[in-house]
Amino acid sequence: MKRAPEVFFLPAGSEQRLCLFHAPAGTPRSCVLYLHPFAEEMNKSRRMAALACRALADAGHAVLQIDLRGCGDSSADFGDATWPDWQADVQLALRWLDSRHPGMPLWLWGLRAGALLAAGDWGRPVNFLLWQPMPSGKLALQQFLRLKLAAEMAGGGGKGLMEQMKAQLAAGEAVEVAGYRVHPALASGLEAARLTPAGPAGRVAWIEVSAQAGDTLKPASLQALQAWQEAGWTVSSQVVEGPSFWATTEIELAPALISATVEAL
């Protein structure tokens, strides 16, 4: 019988963050912190993340999921969250894992823009599990802003909208895209993020999905991985068959991605 995750609110000053902890049956092989993707991609990915967390726990890993500030059932509205807020949430979650399982090998697991948040120097040795990582935050922000541009263009508008949104953010004003109000400090932090090596060298497991069987990593991914290797990191990478579940209209799954993840760790 599979054990249900431990659901709790982690205090964050005067606020709180919703967390789910998936405990292994015995002493964990490692601790894993999952960092979800940006905006609606988080909701689309919840089912996949939950299944992967259970699979990792069954394989002996202790896995913590956290809803970042303004996301899911955590405190604040999405429009109040900033990139430094989310970085502080990562540190908060790491401290909790340290208190629960001190001294364990640590993996930071990020999906899409969550990989950009994960790939930092956290003042300790960490490994990175990267699902469909985005090579730069600038690209991530641009893709998100294009959601509004596409909606406006479908209605016959949209001329000059991208420049207008960028000007608003640069002026310290929030913008609303696809029902999400984006704080300028969140946009600027995301835009400045880079998927580059930082901190003591460890392991990187880079896994992407493709609708086409036998597909290979794109040049941008290969270039990013080369930088990690040159910095002394032990890198593994692969592409597995599956849908872009973070962006599909209906909730979809990529079982091969879960299997590859368990094997990689």
Side-chain angles (χ1 to χ4, degrees), residues 107-112 115-116 118-119 127-136 139 194-197 202-210 215-229 233-240 246 256-257 260-265:
W107 287 86
L108 283 181
W109 163 26
L111 169 59
R112 299 273 290 161
L116 289 164
N127 305 300
F128 296 110
L129 168 62
L130 307 177
W131 271 14
Q132 205 73 23
M134 308 192 77
S136 77
L139 176 62
R194 297 290 183 272
L195 197 64
T196 52
R203 292 176 57 196
V204 177
W206 182 301
I207 313 177
E208 298 185 9
V209 297
S210 173
D215 209 351
T216 57
L217 291 177
K218 295 177 175 58
S221 297
L222 291 172
Q223 185 177 5
L225 278 170
Q226 184 178 353
W228 288 85
Q229 289 175 313
W233 292 72
T234 301
V235 173
S236 65
S237 63
Q238 60 180 308
V239 179
V240 299
W246 58 88
L257 178 58
T261 297
V262 173
E263 184 178 346
L265 265 61

Side-chain angles (χ1 to χ4, degrees), residues 76-94:
D77 293 326
F78 187 89
D80 297 326
T82 68
W83 194 255
D85 288 341
W86 288 0
Q87 291 173 317
D89 286 348
V90 175
Q91 292 283 21
L92 181 69
L94 292 177

Side-chain angles (χ1 to χ4, degrees), residues 31-42:
C31 288
V32 182
L33 173 60
Y34 171 66
L35 301 176
H36 58 72
F38 196 77
E40 191 59 22
E41 290 187 1
M42 178 192 72

Side-chain angles (χ1 to χ4, degrees), residues 56-255:
L56 286 170
D58 289 343
H61 304 276
V63 188
L64 180 65
Q65 295 176 262
I66 183 171
D67 282 359
L68 300 169
R69 185 171 193 254
C71 301
D73 291 314
S74 288
S75 298
D77 293 326
F78 187 89
D80 297 326
T82 68
W83 194 255
D85 288 341
W86 288 0
Q87 291 173 317
D89 286 348
V90 175
Q91 292 283 21
L92 181 69
L94 292 177
R95 288 194 295 271
W96 187 89
L97 280 171
D98 282 343
S99 68
R100 186 71 174 250
H101 294 294
M104 284 289 113
L106 177 65
W107 287 86
L108 283 181
W109 163 26
L111 169 59
R112 299 273 290 161
L116 289 164
L117 181 62
D121 185 355
W122 301 105
R124 68 187 74 191
V126 297
N127 305 300
F128 296 110
L129 168 62
L130 307 177
W131 271 14
Q132 205 73 23
M134 308 192 77
S136 77
K138 184 176 182 179
L139 176 62
L141 179 63
Q142 193 169 38
Q143 286 186 0
F144 182 69
L145 295 179
R146 281 176 181 163
L147 294 176
K148 184 167 185 175
L149 182 61
E152 292 292 330
M153 290 179 69
K159 186 177 180 180
L161 181 59
M162 181 65 77
E163 292 72 18
Q164 179 186 331
M165 288 188 290
K166 289 182 177 180
Q168 281 182 247
L169 291 169
E173 301 174 16
V175 298
E176 185 165 333
V177 179
Y180 289 87
R181 187 171 63 88
V182 181
H183 194 290
L186 178 57
S188 61
L190 173 61
E191 187 173 30
R194 297 290 183 272
L195 197 64
T196 52
R203 292 176 57 196
V204 177
W206 182 301
I207 313 177
E208 298 185 9
V209 297
S210 173
Q212 297 182 356
D215 209 351
T216 57
L217 291 177
K218 295 177 175 58
S221 297
L222 291 172
Q223 185 177 5
L225 278 170
Q226 184 178 353
W228 288 85
Q229 289 175 313
E230 291 175 351
W233 292 72
T234 301
V235 173
S236 65
S237 63
Q238 60 180 308
V239 179
V240 299
E241 188 175 1
S244 302
F245 56 87
W246 58 88
T248 53
T249 303
E250 301 295 331
I251 300 300
E252 294 196 41
L253 304 177

